[in-house]
Amino acid sequence: MTDCYAVIGNPIEHSKSPEIHRRFAAATGEAMTYRRLWAPHEHFRAVAEAFCCGGGHGLNVTVPFKEEAYAFADRLSERAAAAGAVNTLRFDSDGQRFGDNTDGVGLLRDLQDNLGITIAGRRVLVLGAGGAARGVLPALLAADPAALFLANRTAARAEALAERFGTLHPCPLSAIPERGFELIVNTTAAGLQGENLELPDDVLAPGGTAYDLVYADTETPFIRWARTHGATTTSDGLGMLVEQAAEAFFVWRGVRPPTAPVIAALRRGEA
Ligand code: NAP
């Protein structure tokens, strides 16, 4: 019998996850199906329960349901508990719903392993304090940066995350107190609609790295800004998307799929 998985979100029609998992399953020989699952904003629990009771084996969870998935899980991994958000649910045979968060490890694998970026000892600025920031902050902090600043449009949300994670410096996006960051990670959803962030000209150190969690077929506004403000290395979040999916695949199937060919295929537009 074929095991069933899905990605749940709203909106969900543009998700590349089914294509990514189809490629992982083909590469590893795992017998599974994977589809998109749309849920109305106020009905995450009902839709997720129906999928689980209907024999579903696991879900990836995307915007805007990661915090609801956290509440939905019976058991949490350490990294999901730290994040306060779940992007991977596994429905175990004993009836338990296991919640995990693979966003942080996905970002680190893309930044450190695929792009060769060092985080240890570097001054890092994270933009945004939503669900994605919650997922990646514990991993970034564990990578031992010299300092980690967190800037958000709504400053109170950055302050709340600083209370949760301790060693962060929260600030409003409109008043970032320092300059010359060696790595800036954009976790805001601003680029999705092509909106620009208003950033000080010298906030990125010359030769620094800019990483945008948003991915698009064309250059994102943040990456365009970074390229014209001294960045040597830039990347959108496609690699992270594939790496966090690979970690979810491992959580479900106990098998690590190859990621480089999948990233390359998606970059060529084969999805
Ligand atoms: P979210 O919980 O809705 O948070 C959105 C964040 O963006 C908040 O900090 C919000 O600020 C900020 N924001 C939105 N529009 C803005 C604007 N015009 N100017 C300045 N700030 C703005 O969403 P999320 O779950 O964190 O996801 C954020 C993005 O990351 C999405 O595009 C998502 O697709 C992407 N993502 C990518 C990956 C990947 O694997 N590549 C993984 C996870 C997420 P306020 O607090 O002020 O509203």
Side-chain angles (χ1 to χ4, degrees):
M1 191 153 135
T2 306
D3 295 346
C4 306
Y5 298 87
V7 56
I8 184 168
N10 182 343
I12 201 63
E13 61 274 14
H14 300 302
S15 173
K16 292 184 190 292
S17 293
E19 180 59 21
I20 292 170
H21 283 282
R22 188 190 65 71
R23 287 175 184 273
F24 287 166
T28 57
E30 293 292 302
M32 58 188 278
T33 64
Y34 189 108
R35 64 188 171 93
R36 296 180 181 86
L37 191 58
W38 178 84
H41 279 105
E42 57 291 353
H43 293 305
F44 166 79
R45 181 171 281 269
V47 175
E49 245 160 25
F51 180 79
C52 174
C53 295
H57 285 70
L59 286 169
N60 281 142
V61 182
T62 186
V63 181
F65 297 129
K66 290 182 187 179
E67 286 171 54
E68 283 175 73
Y70 173 81
F72 183 70
D74 303 312
R75 250 174 358 104
L76 294 167
S77 67
E78 212 173 292
R79 56 198 179 188
V86 158
N87 79 338
T88 302
L89 283 163
R90 189 185 66 213
F91 304 131
D92 290 334
S93 50
D94 61 0
Q96 293 265 302
R97 304 155 176 163
F98 173 69
D100 201 349
N101 193 311
T102 65
D103 279 340
V105 72
L107 174 65
L108 288 200
R109 290 218 177 107
D110 199 35
L111 265 176
Q112 297 184 318
D113 302 349
N114 299 343
L115 300 168
I117 301 299
T118 303
I119 297 167
R122 299 282 160 84
R123 298 177 66 254
V124 178
L125 171 64
V126 173
L127 309 173
R134 275 174 174 272
V136 303
L137 283 169
L140 284 172
L141 285 167
D144 209 19
L148 202 159
F149 282 69
L150 178 65
N152 195 45
R153 182 176 61 181
T154 309
R157 288 183 86 188
E159 281 155 21
L161 288 193
E163 260 173 49
R164 183 179 185 97
F165 296 120
T167 44
L168 293 176
H169 306 283
C171 57
L173 191 60
S174 55
I176 299 168
E178 296 201 9
R179 300 289 181 265
F181 289 94
E182 292 152 302
L183 168 64
I184 304 182
V185 178
N186 178 33
T187 79
T188 77
L192 278 180
Q193 265 78 45
E195 291 164 87
N196 280 309
L197 295 167
E198 295 292 325
L199 295 171
D201 280 345
D202 52 354
V203 71
L204 182 67
T209 298
Y211 192 96
D212 197 347
L213 263 62
V214 172
Y215 46 87
D217 294 337
T218 53
E219 195 173 55
T220 67
F222 173 67
I223 294 300
R224 192 175 319 120
W225 174 89
R227 226 180 7 85
T228 54
H229 288 79
T232 299
T233 307
T234 60
S235 179
D236 70 9
L238 188 71
M240 172 181 165
L241 180 76
V242 174
E243 295 294 350
Q244 64 77 30
E247 185 71 9
F249 192 91
F250 179 71
V251 168
W252 292 330
R253 313 296 301 178
V255 178
R256 277 194 193 285
T259 53
V262 180
I263 296 172
L266 294 181
R267 290 259 179 245
R268 289 192 302 268
E270 294 171 16

